[in-house]
């Protein structure tokens, strides 16, 4: 486990080497080379051990949640590091919109131990529509996937799937409307054929996008698909 973390720390991408944090992203305390000071790190909302194995939503006894029982998603299991709650929600916003890109390495470092024992053949980051990439300048899922894939020694495939449509926000829509909204939004090529695939995204909210991407990967011949997310909403 520590080997994985040290590989992530040692194999940082150029922007990380050029832009090492000097202060804790939450409280501003001096924290050279790490995103958070030890005090803020200890207070993070880590995902509780009792959660639905398929979608990572916390459940009282770790059993399947009602939503997965009613509408089983196309991915067979989900792994998450944090709850999408303060201050993780703020850190993800900083990362996505404030371009605090060194947080990618922070998320990858803390997520790696959660997925270190998984056997997958490739990591497939959630594709963004080209319009969103143009607006944001980067795909947040790729930025997290890069150090994570290096640390785990798992191939990263950033161009194996594409988003065909720019879909409106899923949150707040009823289940059937979410499925309709996202249906056919992704296409995946045959390089996933026969492979065990880990989809990677920053946050799972309704899970509808990850479900549709999993469907596309399975349709292209993937044998199994897991969803890996940094943070899970409640
Ligand atoms: Zn701090
Ligand atoms: Zn579930």
């Amino acid at each position: 486990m520590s080997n994985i973390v040290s590989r992530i720390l040692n194999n940082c991408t150029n922007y990380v080497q050029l832009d090492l944090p000097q202060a804790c992203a939450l409280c501003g305390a001096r924290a050279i080379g790490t995103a958070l000071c030890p005090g803020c790190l200890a207070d993070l909302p880590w995902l509780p051990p009792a959660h639905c194995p398929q979608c990572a939503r916390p459940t009282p006894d770790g059993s399947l949640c009602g939503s997965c029982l009613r509408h089983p998603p196309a991915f067979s299991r989900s792994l998450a590091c944090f709850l999408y709650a303060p201050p993780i929600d703020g850190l993800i916003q900083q990362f996505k919109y404030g371009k605090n890109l060194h947080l990618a390495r922070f998320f990858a470092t803390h997520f790696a131990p959660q997925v270190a024992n998984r056997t997958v053949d490739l990591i497939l980051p959630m594709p963004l529509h080209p319009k969103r990439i143009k607006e944001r300048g980067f795909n947040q899922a790729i930025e997290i996937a890069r150090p994570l894939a290096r640390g785990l020694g798992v191939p990263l495939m950033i161009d194996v799937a594409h988003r065909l449509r720019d879909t409106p926000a899923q949150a707040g829509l009823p289940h059937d409307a979410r499925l309709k909204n996202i249906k056919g939004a992704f296409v995946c090529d045959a390089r996933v054929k026969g492979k065990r695939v880990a989809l990677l995204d920053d946050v799972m909210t309704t899970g509808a996008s990850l479900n549709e991407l999993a469907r596309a990967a399975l349709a292209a011949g993937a044998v199994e698909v897991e969803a890996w997310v940094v943070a899970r909403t409640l």
Side-chain angles (χ1 to χ4, degrees):
M1 191 183 292
S2 59
N3 281 347
I4 295 163
V5 171
S6 70
R7 276 206 298 275
I8 290 172
L9 294 173
N10 292 334
N11 287 299
C12 42
T13 44
N14 287 338
Y15 65 79
V16 172
Q17 286 163 337
L18 292 172
D19 184 27
L20 281 174
Q22 301 290 310
C24 172
L26 290 172
C27 73
R30 196 170 154 82
I32 305 287
T34 65
L36 297 188
C37 70
C40 287
L41 194 60
D43 289 342
L44 293 178
W46 303 91
L47 185 77
H51 55 260
C52 170
Q54 201 160 1
C55 76
R57 191 188 302 276
T59 51
D61 53 1
S63 55
L64 273 181
C65 72
S67 172
C68 288
L69 284 170
R70 279 192 304 278
H71 310 285
F75 44 82
S76 56
R77 67 162 63 215
S78 294
L79 292 111
C81 190
F82 301 108
L83 288 176
Y84 191 69
I88 284 294
D89 52 359
L91 288 174
I92 288 178
Q93 298 293 315
Q94 272 190 40
F95 168 56
K96 273 162 93 159
Y97 306 114
K99 303 199 177 180
N100 196 351
L101 276 171
H102 65 252
L103 285 169
R105 190 176 54 137
F106 168 80
F107 295 135
T109 301
H110 292 286
F111 191 34
Q114 319 285 326
V115 291
N117 64 351
R118 303 303 307 153
T119 310
V120 297
D121 299 309
L122 62 99
I123 295 177
L124 195 172
M126 173 63 71
L128 271 189
H129 190 268
K131 197 174 125 193
R132 297 273 164 239
I133 294 182
K134 206 170 164 191
E135 274 171 15
R136 196 169 296 165
F138 63 97
N139 175 341
Q140 70 275 8
I142 294 177
E143 297 305 322
I144 298 165
R146 229 176 236 139
L148 184 67
R150 273 198 218 104
L152 298 172
V154 174
L156 169 66
M157 287 196 156
I158 59 171
D159 61 348
V160 74
H162 298 279
R163 192 183 282 254
L164 303 174
R165 284 187 289 115
D166 189 22
T167 47
Q170 297 286 335
L173 292 177
H175 179 80
D176 289 348
R178 290 199 304 265
L179 291 189
K180 204 172 160 195
N181 188 28
I182 197 81
K183 197 166 191 307
F186 301 100
V187 65
C188 190
D189 74 38
R191 281 175 290 167
V192 298
K193 195 171 178 184
K195 306 285 193 202
R196 292 158 301 182
V197 177
L199 309 180
L200 186 96
D201 207 357
D202 53 344
V203 182
M204 186 192 295
T205 305
T206 66
S209 300
L210 283 158
N211 181 50
E212 192 59 24
L213 183 57
R215 280 164 43 95
L218 290 168
V223 289
E224 195 178 1
V225 181
E226 301 187 349
W228 293 4
V229 294
V230 170
R232 178 65 165 107
T233 59
L234 275 171

